[in-house]
Amino acid sequence: MYSPKAAMYLGSTRSMLISPHLPTEVHQHAVLQFTCSLDGKPFRVWTEGDGWQQAEAVLIDSMVAHSLKEFDGWQVTTCIMPDVQTGRLVQERVLEGKPIKYYLEKDILPVIDALKMARQELITDSGVFQTLTNTVYHHLLQETPFTPPLDDRITKAIHYIRQNIHEKIAAATVAAEVHLSEHRFLHLFREQVGAPLRQYVIWQRVAVATQALLMDGKSSKEAAYEAGFSDPAHFSRHFSLMFGAQPSAYAALKPLYHFGFFQNI
């Protein structure tokens, strides 16, 4: 019989952490964060404006200093870039300018039911990961945002970025690869992907370096250069902005975690 194992999943613009131990010191990061208990057991969350509050689930805006503690049982944290379409909508329509929003378990039961299934079986498919994270964000929004079909030129651009992630990636170069002017390419890329090119590339670099470090056994220096960072400190800085901790903190948890990496848009 499968025994639940803590897991960290990283996609192109979003991430998910399923864990029985998630206390954190005060930190902030560049992504929107949704955290909920899977066992109906409240935890405590701190923000500068509210101090310590008891919560069953919280949505925290990007760059808001916060801390979580007193967890008893399993929790899930899923994060999304605020620059992508879904993240931007959550920020504008759900948070509405507030730094944090609290939820009761009864308000998010469909989300909890879906996430409980993810705890029972490791995710190995990018489509399943995308669907699961969409369940969270679409429930918060109470709608399914329209996503236009991906233009063939943007598909080609994304393939080029992933194939050359270890190199310097200039907008003009990628635009030339897909036979568009730089201005038109940058507009179309943001319209289609939902994120500016620079932010998308940085997230890809973090994903590649994290996979190299946590799954392939590379050193921080090797992982950073493989992903196109100038040095390990550059990688660590962007990793911390995404996850609120140093890569070494997750590397220490390797024996306890399953790691999954998905190349979804």
Side-chain angles (χ1 to χ4, degrees):
M1 183 176 179
Y2 173 71
S3 177
K5 184 176 183 180
M8 176 183 179
Y9 302 108
L10 185 61
S12 295
T13 59
R14 54 186 70 181
S15 65
M16 179 176 287
L17 183 69
I18 304 174
S19 173
H21 30 251
L22 188 65
T24 63
E25 300 300 324
V26 176
H27 67 287
Q28 62 185 33
H29 41 61
V31 290
L32 291 160
Q33 172 179 332
F34 175 78
T35 297
C36 68
S37 168
L38 294 185
D39 302 310
K41 299 176 180 178
F43 54 92
R44 299 189 73 199
V45 57
W46 178 91
T47 58
E48 186 174 8
D50 293 351
W52 285 106
Q53 299 291 326
Q54 183 170 282
E56 296 173 18
V58 290
L59 175 65
I60 304 171
D61 202 357
S62 61
M63 303 312 296
V64 170
H66 60 280
S67 177
L68 303 171
K69 72 175 185 178
E70 294 184 11
F71 281 105
D72 181 15
W74 285 75
Q75 318 88 41
V76 172
T77 288
T78 179
C79 297
I80 189 169
M81 288 170 54
D83 287 328
V84 300
Q85 181 193 39
T86 300
R88 189 165 58 249
L89 289 174
V90 169
Q91 199 171 43
E92 293 172 355
R93 299 182 185 179
V94 182
L95 284 169
E96 298 178 314
K98 301 181 182 68
I100 186 170
K101 183 171 182 176
Y102 304 90
Y103 292 88
L104 297 175
E105 183 184 47
K106 65 182 181 64
D107 298 326
I108 55 167
L109 285 177
V111 169
I112 292 176
D113 288 344
L115 295 175
K116 280 182 177 178
M117 294 179 64
R119 179 179 62 178
Q120 297 302 322
E121 186 172 347
L122 297 176
I123 302 172
T124 57
D125 178 82
S126 62
V128 174
F129 172 73
Q130 186 81 353
T131 298
L132 187 60
T133 52
N134 278 341
T135 297
V136 176
Y137 303 122
H138 294 176
H139 183 81
L140 298 180
L141 284 166
Q142 294 296 298
E143 64 176 292
T144 301
F146 171 71
T147 302
L150 204 60
D151 188 289
D152 289 342
R153 293 166 295 184
I154 299 304
T155 300
K156 184 178 179 181
I158 289 171
H159 179 73
Y160 176 86
I161 291 167
R162 291 173 179 168
Q163 291 296 112
N164 296 276
I165 197 66
H166 58 289
E167 304 284 354
K168 180 179 179 180
I169 296 176
T173 302
V174 186
E177 286 287 323
V178 297
H179 309 293
L180 289 171
S181 69
E182 183 177 348
H183 176 77
R184 174 59 183 148
F185 166 68
L186 289 173
H187 177 80
L188 184 62
F189 188 91
R190 179 157 192 163
E191 178 184 82
Q192 289 268 299
V193 177
L197 177 68
R198 181 177 179 276
Q199 288 299 320
Y200 182 83
V201 170
I202 288 174
W203 188 281
Q204 301 315 301
R205 294 198 195 283
V206 170
V208 169
T210 303
Q211 182 171 3
L213 178 70
L214 299 181
M215 292 188 70
D216 301 338
K218 302 287 182 67
S219 67
S220 293
K221 183 176 181 180
E222 291 172 323
Y225 292 149
E226 190 171 303
F229 287 111
S230 57
D231 53 49
H234 193 199
F235 164 44
S236 293
R237 184 164 62 252
H238 282 292
F239 186 98
S240 295
L241 280 173
M242 300 285 184
F243 302 108
Q246 293 293 317
S248 57
Y250 284 91
L253 297 173
K254 282 175 65 174
L256 304 176
Y257 275 72
H258 166 77
F259 294 94
F261 296 85
F262 306 114
Q263 293 290 353
N264 59 297
I265 300 303

